Amino acid sequence: MCGIVGYIGKREAAPLLLAGLHRLEYRGYDSAGIALQNGGMPYLKQKGSVGDLQKTYEASPAKMLGATIGIGHTRWATHGDPSDRNSHPHLNADGDIAIIHNGIIENYSLVKQELQAEGYVFQSDTDSEVLVQLIDRIWKSDASLSLEAVVRAALRHVEGAYGLCAISLRDPGKIVVARKGSPLVIGIGEGEYFIASDAAPIVEHTNRVVYLSDGEMAVITRSGYQVRTIENVAMEKDVVELDFSLEKIEKGGYEHFMLKEIFEQPAVMHDVMRGRVRSDEGRVVLGGIEDYLDRLKQAKRIVICACGTSWHAGLIGEYLIEDFARIPVEVDYASEFRYRNPIIGPDDVVIVISQSGETADTLAALRAAKEKGAMVMGICNVVGSTIARETMCGIYTHAGPEVGVASTKAFTAQVIVLYMLALALSKGRTISHDEMRLSLRELSRVPEHASRILELDRQIQEIAASYKDARNFLYLGRGYNFPVALEGALKLKEISYIHAEGYPAAEMKHGPIALIDEDMPVVVIATRDSSYNKILSNIEEVRSRKGRVIAIASEGDAEVARLADHVIYIPQASAQIMPLLTVIPLQLLSYHIATLRGCNVDRPRNLAKSVTVE
Ligand code: G6P
């Protein structure tokens, strides 16, 4: 896995494919490659960045000239280390079939042994290579078959997930693509077509796209495309208009996408609430779940499933829904939920949260919950993503494309959605009209508070400079700020590679306190809420063991200033609103520590933006 691009039309394919791969860099990857079709099948693939690949191409572009068909890939190693030979595309021994593949072929080892027994020699350690060798074998047994027929036959032999593109000199002038578990989009231009694993490489060329669903294949030529199921049944697909612009996925003057996305948060917060939060009327309008609201309110239990940062948003959702709507909530890692035979039935509601809408574990949890008869609702950012399409109802976060691998604006948007959902579930049941209006008014003020917090960027950068060489960090919070402590620690480890742990502050004495000394910076979220006094005691405990304390506190709090080495003051708000504010300084802190350490914050090592494999 990671990113796929393809082109068929009248223009030179190589520069278009390279530009497309650049657009996919945000997903995280370790190697890249392209294969084209002109009189022959030239290809380039290597470990390293798309920029490196581009240089190799520019050093000798001649062999790629005249190719107006091609496929390209950025790889994120799963089977086989990052290396030139494990990079995609993979070609057969005759060099006349090329494939790129996202996903994992689970029975590859068996298929590989069969092929090796027949004399096939493998060039890589990847699972993906079995696909091209299988296609080759099938074609050798019947040379009259079309490319789509051999791809289809090969896919019948394999188990697992794929987003696959294939080209061949034996049946030239077409790209065959297939999808199961790994997204593929076809962009429709004028006499040209684009293929990609998400819309980012397509949007500068056309905003008309077709999303393939699982179990579908397409044959794309210069004159059109045809979609069929893997079982070869013809089908009609809707053409969808993309609603995001190129400008939205460019850096807009910021040094990194992550910083741009942190600073976009006040605007994003407005977008999430637009038309939905009606403070004066004391109601929330959530079109995507309107028809299901009664059933949601009657849920015996809500189970939230997600991964990574979205899972942290889910934890805050648990507090919010239980607090406001008094419905019991459980939060599960999607990867655990799917395999632990959960007790779920028609009285339960399962909410899956996913920025990308493509995370393999979250998607599998959704499907498992559906199978058990639960009502399944989604909270997604990417419109038209697989999770968004497979849930019965849902709420889009409207955060716009998030490019930085470390999630920031998508997280705050998810928390706002969960806040709105909790209030929608409370209406007429657990809170009065006045409480509803007050809670909505508080929410409406969040973008303004967020803007004020962003003004602290310089101060946070200075604090970051004092701690950039730390080897460990501890993050503490209580109540609503406990999941924020987890998120703060995750942000730091993701992009700066400093070991960081988040803990509920009171749990510190059951373990982490043993680690505290002058080399252990401790970030404590100590805003004024019901556990404020207790968290002050926790700070004292850290101080008395010489730990250095960076506190996030409510404006005007002199007491915290007395105890902590550094204080970042944020506007005071109710406990339910706090995570939306306390997380912002933590995002900035990790961003600055990582950049001061010279890390590539937008593309941290070993991480992917969208994890479409298990
Ligand atoms: C990856 C990303 C994280 C993200 C997680 C879940 O690990 O690097 O930033 O939180 O996947 O992704 P999702 O798209 O489902 O929210």
Side-chain angles (χ1 to χ4, degrees):
M1 79 158 203
C2 194
I4 282 178
V5 293
Y7 175 76
I8 180 163
K10 300 188 187 80
R11 293 191 272 166
E12 284 291 338
L16 285 169
L17 294 174
L18 288 165
L21 291 179
H22 274 300
R23 293 257 177 253
L24 288 176
E25 285 191 286
Y26 75 91
R27 297 171 64 100
Y29 67 102
D30 49 56
S31 20
I34 54 173
L36 299 115
Q37 192 184 296
N38 43 24
M41 187 159 273
Y43 69 94
L44 290 177
K45 56 178 195 166
Q46 61 190 57
K47 183 181 166 187
S49 69
V50 176
D52 297 338
L53 185 74
Q54 176 115 26
K55 279 186 204 135
T56 311
Y57 161 73
E58 281 163 6
S60 58
K63 65 175 180 170
M64 304 264 165
L65 273 178
T68 53
I69 300 183
I71 54 180
H73 190 260
T74 48
R75 174 172 188 255
W76 188 74
T78 56
H79 294 58
D81 59 358
S83 63
D84 293 354
R85 66 191 194 92
N86 285 336
S87 315
H88 299 217
H90 294 289
L91 281 82
N92 60 336
D94 296 337
D96 58 4
I97 309 168
I99 63 115
I100 51 176
H101 166 237
N102 273 354
I104 289 177
I105 302 301
E106 283 161 8
N107 62 340
Y108 85 99
S109 162
L110 218 67
V111 180
K112 189 169 175 174
Q113 280 165 28
E114 270 174 35
L115 289 161
Q116 279 170 329
E118 290 173 26
Y120 276 88
V121 178
F122 280 73
Q123 307 297 327
S124 76
D125 306 318
T126 64
D127 54 324
S128 307
E129 191 185 349
V130 298
L131 289 167
V132 73
Q133 306 291 20
L134 257 180
I135 292 172
D136 182 88
R137 182 180 71 179
I138 295 162
W139 233 340
K140 287 213 164 109
S141 68
D142 184 352
S144 67
L145 292 173
S146 62
L147 178 59
E148 54 274 31
V150 286
V151 168
R152 181 172 296 117
L155 292 178
R156 283 206 199 105
H157 268 74
V158 296
E159 283 159 27
Y162 46 79
L164 174 73
C165 296
I167 53 174
S168 176
L169 290 176
R170 298 190 202 175
D171 186 4
K174 61 169 79 158
I175 303 179
V176 171
V177 301
R179 166 186 172 151
K180 186 180 160 206
S182 200
L184 278 179
V185 192
I186 304 170
I188 304 166
E190 296 292 327
E192 58 182 2
Y193 295 87
F194 304 85
I195 296 145
S197 45
D198 69 47
I202 294 180
V203 68
E204 66 195 277
H205 303 291
T206 173
N207 65 350
R208 300 181 64 227
V209 299
V210 168
Y211 289 99
L212 286 194
S213 297
D214 277 353
E216 292 175 0
M217 287 180 65
V219 181
I220 306 148
T221 63
R222 288 188 186 84
S223 51
Y225 64 94
Q226 224 188 24
V227 181
R228 286 176 173 268
T229 63
I230 306 272
E231 289 75 36
N232 207 9
V233 180
M235 50 190 310
E236 286 296 317
K237 297 287 291 183
D238 290 339
V239 175
V240 180
E241 296 260 321
L242 289 175
D243 76 344
F244 69 84
S245 63
L246 196 56
E247 182 200 328
K248 280 201 179 158
I249 51 169
E250 284 179 342
K251 285 188 205 153
Y254 287 94
E255 203 175 330
H256 296 100
F257 281 111
M258 184 182 174
L259 190 62
K260 173 184 171 235
E261 287 158 4
I262 292 173
F263 273 83
E264 268 173 7
Q265 288 178 110
V268 164
M269 288 165 167
H270 276 300
D271 288 345
V272 190
M273 291 187 262
R274 180 161 303 128
R276 292 166 162 177
V277 170
R278 316 260 172 102
S279 339
D280 293 344
E281 299 164 36
R283 64 189 188 110
V284 182
V285 179
L286 298 169
I289 59 163
E290 219 161 48
D291 295 343
Y292 294 82
L293 202 53
D294 286 338
R295 191 159 161 205
L296 285 166
K297 284 180 178 177
Q298 281 154 22
K300 280 220 172 96
R301 182 178 59 144
I302 293 177
V303 179
I304 299 180
C305 291
C307 304
T309 290
S310 299
W311 183 77
H312 294 156
L315 291 178
I316 298 169
E318 173 184 13
Y319 284 69
L320 287 167
I321 296 171
E322 291 199 342
D323 222 359
F324 282 126
R326 309 305 295 153
I327 300 173
V329 181
E330 276 173 35
V331 187
D332 218 340
Y333 287 111
S335 54
E336 289 297 314
F337 177 89
R338 63 184 288 197
Y339 286 121
R340 71 172 170 83
N341 193 15
I343 304 169
I344 290 283
D347 292 335
D348 298 311
V349 169
V350 172
I351 302 180
V352 285
I353 308 178
S354 175
Q355 185 288 127
S356 61
E358 303 293 350
T359 301
D361 283 322
T362 313
L363 183 56
L366 180 175
R367 289 176 180 162
K370 245 181 169 176
E371 237 166 62
K372 287 176 182 282
M375 180 185 159
V376 185
M377 180 195 143
I379 296 178
C380 289
N381 192 38
V382 177
V383 176
S385 55
T386 312
I387 292 177
R389 285 183 285 140
E390 292 198 14
T391 38
M392 297 169 182
C393 63
I395 309 172
Y396 279 121
T397 43
H398 295 320
E402 190 177 62
V403 177
V405 166
S407 186
T408 53
K409 63 174 182 171
F411 172 78
T412 39
Q414 287 165 345
V415 175
I416 293 185
V417 164
L418 287 160
Y419 188 102
M420 294 189 296
L421 174 67
L423 288 180
L425 295 176
S426 317
K427 191 167 168 67
R429 295 176 55 245
T430 45
I431 65 173
S432 69
H433 188 64
D434 281 348
E435 284 167 329
M436 183 83 166
R437 281 172 53 176
L438 268 176
S439 306
L440 287 174
R441 244 183 241 147
E442 266 228 273
L443 184 65
S444 318
R445 279 199 294 270
V446 169
E448 186 191 315
H449 292 330
S451 300
R452 279 181 46 209
I453 297 170
L454 290 168
E455 288 167 14
L456 305 174
D457 186 40
R458 178 65 62 81
Q459 182 207 351
I460 296 170
Q461 192 172 10
E462 279 162 17
I463 298 174
S466 320
Y467 294 94
K468 70 177 177 44
D469 297 320
R471 300 186 57 192
N472 298 287
F473 255 87
L474 185 62
Y475 285 71
L476 301 176
R478 298 179 83 122
Y480 279 93
N481 284 322
F482 157 54
V484 179
L486 296 182
E487 175 60 8
L490 176 65
K491 284 288 86 77
L492 188 70
K493 74 184 110 174
E494 278 179 315
I495 59 171
S496 73
Y497 319 135
I498 295 175
H499 168 246
E501 278 192 72
Y503 250 83
E507 274 291 304
M508 180 179 66
K509 55 186 172 294
H510 300 293
I513 201 161
L515 301 171
I516 292 172
D517 61 16
E518 60 275 21
D519 295 325
M520 174 67 106
V522 183
V523 177
V524 188
I525 312 171
T527 47
R528 279 194 191 276
D529 58 23
S530 56
S531 47
Y532 171 73
N533 284 327
K534 295 190 192 305
I535 208 136
L536 287 189
S537 314
N538 297 134
I539 298 182
E540 302 263 19
E541 285 156 16
V542 173
R543 294 292 299 164
S544 58
R545 284 156 187 88
K546 299 201 172 64
R548 290 185 291 163
V549 175
I550 304 165
I552 314 293
S554 305
E555 266 167 3
D557 185 341
E559 186 60 13
V560 172
R562 195 179 58 77
L563 294 172
D565 297 81
H566 311 269
V567 186
I568 301 167
Y569 284 115
I570 61 164
Q572 178 58 8
S574 68
Q576 290 86 348
I577 290 289
M578 268 308 171
L580 291 163
L581 307 180
T582 50
V583 76
I584 299 174
L586 303 191
Q587 295 167 342
L588 285 170
L589 185 67
S590 14
Y591 171 80
H592 288 301
I593 291 179
T595 48
L596 288 165
R597 286 164 71 93
C599 302
N600 184 345
V601 293
D602 283 337
R603 290 197 295 282
R605 70 183 181 208
N606 304 341
L607 295 179
K609 181 70 186 158
S610 169
V611 182
T612 52
V613 294
E614 272 197 77

